[in-house]
Amino acid sequence: MTGSEDYAPLRTFIFKVANRCNIDCDYCYVFNSKDQTSRHLPARMGLDVARAAAQRIGEHAMVHGLRDVHVVLHGGEPLLVGPRHMADVLSAVRGGIPAETTVRFELQTNGTLLTKAWLDLFEQYRVVVGVSLDGPPAANDRHRLTHGARSSATSAVRGIELLRSRPQLFAGLLAVVDLANDPVEVHDYLASFEPPVIDFNLPDGTHDNPPHRGDPSVPEYGRWMSRVYDAWLARPEYQHTIRMLEDIVALSSGVRGSVETLGLAPPTSIVIESNGTVEGVDTLRSVAEGASWLGLDLLRQSFDEVMRHPKLLHRHIGRSALAEQCQKCPLVEVCGGGYLPHRFSTDRGYRNPSVYCADLQYLIRHVQDSLSHHGWSAHTPAAPPP
């Protein structure tokens, strides 16, 4: 591969506008994992960085003829930067990208700081907002407490209810799976807020530090998500999507997805830190100190140069980047070997099956078996010969 035409262009740009947070989630890969880089980065993204990022995105969009790009405002807790600074960032981004390219803004927040003033600003710039909430108060507060070890649930729910008053701004809810919580109770509670989308993330884990399990011989996370799937289908009045499950359905049907966590298509997202440095997958911070570091920044490199970084080659070579066991698996087109951070081990790097391999197999087969009862047939290409 020598030219930009060999690479899928970037379409989603994740801006780390804040590197501080007002709550202290114990599973946070930014502040409570092996890599503590964020604590030493600027507390908020400066306008010079936002302008430089917009210029680079504009260049990338023009080279690749992109009609739209997705800019995600992330953290830490992005609302800590304050409405005035956020307005300046949004203005700098929109003003720096050519009018031929539509900018679609999204913001991910814990919801505790949302106010009418924030929603007015988001209305002005058409920013849709996702909120992180792990379920009912007891489930949410198992991990998502304030720095004073107090509940964050009440404030988060207040923010969600405020957001519901402007449904055009409500992007959805995001929950991290915890086996200690009942999956049906969590799903139905989140669904009660009538979000358009519910996302479920599997906890960070590697082969060196695997996720908690009651019985390591059982695909407990796959069973947990399978119960979510059944609860989702049980009530026809539900209008929300569940991203992980819909991705499994689409990929099983032969759609070539571009999500980071499933499928073999190259991911099209990149992370821009508050100081202008660039990362491919920032959740690699949960793996080891410096695992996400590329040594690149927006002042020196274009996004086409970023895409050619050796650490990002796995994005472009697909199946051959996976462990031999994964390459032979009939479900590889769907699971894609699993999320990159979940494939890490100290002795073999990232060329391993996911620590959630059995869980993903169980969940994928559960979804496919369910659909087959309605006359649907999975698209499962044969694996290449060994």
Side-chain angles (χ1 to χ4, degrees):
M1 297 187 213
T2 57
S4 60
E5 67 277 1
D6 298 313
Y7 300 86
L10 299 170
R11 296 179 179 273
T12 298
F13 303 86
I14 302 169
F15 281 46
K16 294 288 184 172
V17 294
N19 265 307
R20 302 293 183 270
C21 194
N22 62 320
I23 66 174
D24 188 27
C25 305
D26 60 14
Y27 54 55
C28 179
Y29 68 87
V30 179
F31 301 115
N32 290 321
S33 66
K34 294 178 180 296
D35 191 315
Q36 295 294 295
T37 301
S38 284
R39 297 184 183 275
H40 309 292
L41 290 169
R44 68 182 190 179
M45 178 180 285
L47 295 182
D48 56 336
V49 173
R51 292 189 189 100
Q55 179 182 345
R56 292 298 193 186
I57 294 171
E59 293 170 355
H60 193 71
M62 294 296 288
V63 168
H64 295 278
L66 303 181
R67 292 185 176 182
D68 56 63
V69 293
H70 192 193
V71 173
V72 182
L73 307 162
H74 210 270
E77 172 48 54
L79 300 189
L80 285 176
V81 304
R84 180 176 297 180
H85 186 73
M86 183 70 77
D88 290 341
V89 169
L90 292 168
S91 177
V93 173
R94 179 167 287 173
I97 296 175
E100 295 85 351
T101 301
T102 300
V103 182
R104 305 187 187 281
F105 289 112
E106 183 174 343
L107 181 141
Q108 187 67 32
T109 174
N110 58 44
T112 62
L113 301 177
L114 282 170
T115 62
K116 181 180 180 297
W118 274 115
L119 298 190
D120 290 343
L121 175 63
F122 298 150
E123 195 94 59
Q124 178 184 351
Y125 284 93
R126 298 183 181 180
V127 181
V128 296
V129 180
V131 179
S132 298
L133 185 74
D134 284 353
N140 183 75
D141 293 340
R142 200 180 299 279
H143 301 285
R144 301 180 64 81
L145 297 173
T146 69
H147 289 280
R150 295 182 178 180
S151 171
S152 68
T154 299
S155 296
V157 169
R158 179 201 56 77
I160 294 169
E161 293 294 358
L162 184 63
L163 188 57
R164 290 180 71 191
S165 69
R166 315 244 191 133
Q168 71 276 17
L169 300 180
F170 194 9
L173 299 174
L174 169 65
V176 175
V177 173
D178 186 333
L179 298 177
N181 298 328
D182 180 84
V184 177
E185 181 185 21
V186 169
H187 170 266
D188 290 353
Y189 179 78
L190 297 178
S192 72
F193 294 106
E194 300 181 313
V197 179
I198 300 176
D199 269 346
F200 287 95
N201 281 354
L202 297 172
D204 293 322
T206 67
H207 289 276
D208 302 315
N209 295 288
H212 166 75
R213 296 179 187 273
D215 182 350
S217 68
V218 175
E220 294 171 308
Y221 289 92
R223 289 184 175 181
W224 200 98
M225 281 303 303
S226 294
R227 291 187 62 199
V228 168
Y229 176 81
D230 293 340
W232 179 40
L233 294 188
R235 293 171 59 179
E237 67 269 26
Y238 284 147
Q239 298 297 309
H240 63 273
T241 65
I242 298 179
R243 203 181 312 265
M244 180 192 296
L245 301 177
E246 289 213 338
D247 287 339
I248 288 173
V249 172
L251 290 162
S252 297
S253 302
V255 174
R256 212 165 167 259
S258 60
V259 294
E260 192 88 49
T261 54
L262 292 167
L264 290 172
T268 57
S269 61
I270 205 77
V271 177
I272 303 165
E273 265 301 346
S274 61
N275 65 347
T277 56
V278 181
E279 296 173 295
V281 184
D282 61 332
T283 47
L284 285 173
R285 295 181 187 184
S286 65
V287 168
E289 184 80 30
S292 66
W293 178 251
L294 299 178
L296 306 176
D297 70 68
L298 293 170
L299 297 179
R300 295 186 293 120
Q301 283 92 18
S302 70
F303 283 121
D304 279 282
E305 291 175 293
V306 168
M307 290 192 298
R308 298 187 188 96
H309 192 281
K311 275 192 175 182
L312 301 184
L313 287 179
H314 67 90
R315 291 172 170 242
H316 312 292
I317 59 179
R319 190 194 298 260
S320 61
L322 304 179
E324 184 177 357
Q325 172 184 333
C326 296
Q327 294 183 41
K328 296 178 180 179
C329 178
L331 299 178
V332 68
E333 296 279 344
V334 181
C335 82
Y339 193 31
L340 182 65
H342 300 161
R343 306 203 311 250
F344 180 82
S345 69
T346 301
D347 58 338
R348 292 196 65 202
Y350 300 106
R351 200 175 173 87
N352 309 278
S354 167
V355 291
Y356 292 106
C357 177
D359 302 283
L360 291 171
Q361 289 183 344
Y362 183 95
L363 176 60
I364 292 167
R365 288 186 171 121
H366 180 85
V367 172
Q368 292 180 349
D369 287 347
S370 171
L371 292 172
S372 71
H373 289 304
H374 300 281
W376 172 91
S377 179
H379 172 81
T380 51

